[in-house]
Amino acid sequence: MTLGLLLAALAIRQWQPGLPGRAQWSLACAYAGFALLLMTLLLGPLKVARHRPNPVSTDLRRDVGIGAALASAVHVVLSLGDHLGGNVVRYFFEPAQVAAGNLRHDSFGIGAWIGAVALTPLAALAVTSNDRSVRRLGRRRWKALHRLAYPLVVLVLIHTVAFLHATNRRLLFVAAVAGSSVITTAAQLFGVALYRRRVTSRGRA
């Protein structure tokens, strides 16, 4: 994860050289966390494609997921003081109508609210990514809980796209997010199709 953060920071420094250090590290953590989250969804299809067993829980997948959660947590902490003079309330409510409680509905506000919602499933997945949780919940319930990774990825993607629009990031950022999302979706569909084909072939045998 440390190497991933450094590479992300170097890439952001190259693509957005005018950003202050805090903002660069916030973005580096954001994109490193997003990449690690996508990686958790790629590990299963890769095992299926390589004819390897794909158990309910593996140390590698859980470690990658914890890395994604840690990077995302650091991103949240850094980003809280990165916009609007550090006034966090204005992230979620109309700046001129905070007292009235009017929610922001522009791309910045949507990104902030979706990001806040995403923290709950992210935290749930992180704190249960251990053998003790698997034993306490049982494999079936643990797996059901960790299927939250799929809607979580959707939430994180919406959050990312909203802030790409709100902050007018360069096309390279958009291409990186879109390309990695398409690859992950394709890998998931391929893995499901391949798994079903093998199950059907075994049933006929």
Side-chain angles (χ1 to χ4, degrees):
M1 188 183 77
T2 302
L3 178 59
L5 285 175
L6 290 175
L7 290 175
L10 289 173
I12 289 166
R13 185 181 293 273
Q14 178 68 30
W15 295 345
Q16 298 272 254
L19 287 177
R22 182 188 181 98
Q24 287 181 350
W25 280 108
S26 176
L27 282 179
C29 290
Y31 288 107
F34 183 58
L36 290 170
L37 185 59
L38 293 182
M39 191 181 299
T40 64
L41 300 185
L42 286 171
L43 293 174
L46 286 174
K47 284 184 175 293
V48 173
R50 296 173 63 190
H51 297 270
R52 298 288 183 83
N54 188 25
V56 171
S57 173
T58 65
D59 290 339
L60 176 59
R61 191 181 301 162
R62 291 185 312 205
D63 289 347
V64 172
I66 291 172
L70 290 175
S72 300
V74 175
H75 160 65
V76 170
V77 171
L78 292 176
S79 66
L80 289 179
D82 195 32
H83 304 282
L84 305 176
N87 189 335
V88 178
V89 175
R90 294 171 62 192
Y91 285 28
F92 304 96
F93 298 93
E94 290 289 351
Q97 302 172 342
V98 171
N102 292 333
L103 303 182
R104 292 191 69 153
H105 54 271
D106 59 350
S107 56
F108 188 98
I110 291 171
W113 279 107
I114 293 295
V117 171
L119 290 177
T120 298
L122 182 65
L125 295 177
V127 299
T128 57
S129 291
N130 52 72
D131 292 333
R132 182 179 180 183
S133 294
V134 176
R135 291 193 299 268
R136 292 185 63 181
L137 294 173
R139 299 174 71 84
R140 182 173 296 179
R141 284 193 296 173
W142 188 91
K143 183 62 177 179
L145 173 63
H146 278 252
R147 287 198 177 98
L148 286 174
Y150 298 103
L152 174 60
V153 167
V154 175
L155 290 174
V156 172
L157 182 58
I158 296 172
H159 167 78
T160 303
V161 170
F163 271 102
L164 283 172
H165 181 266
T167 54
N168 296 314
R169 296 296 178 204
R170 293 185 177 182
L171 185 60
L172 282 171
F173 286 95
V174 178
V177 171
S180 59
S181 300
V182 169
I183 290 171
T184 303
T185 301
Q188 279 286 316
L189 293 175
F190 172 76
V192 169
L194 188 58
Y195 176 78
R196 288 179 176 175
R197 184 183 302 173
R198 289 176 185 170
V199 169
T200 302
S201 300
R202 291 170 187 168
R204 292 174 180 174

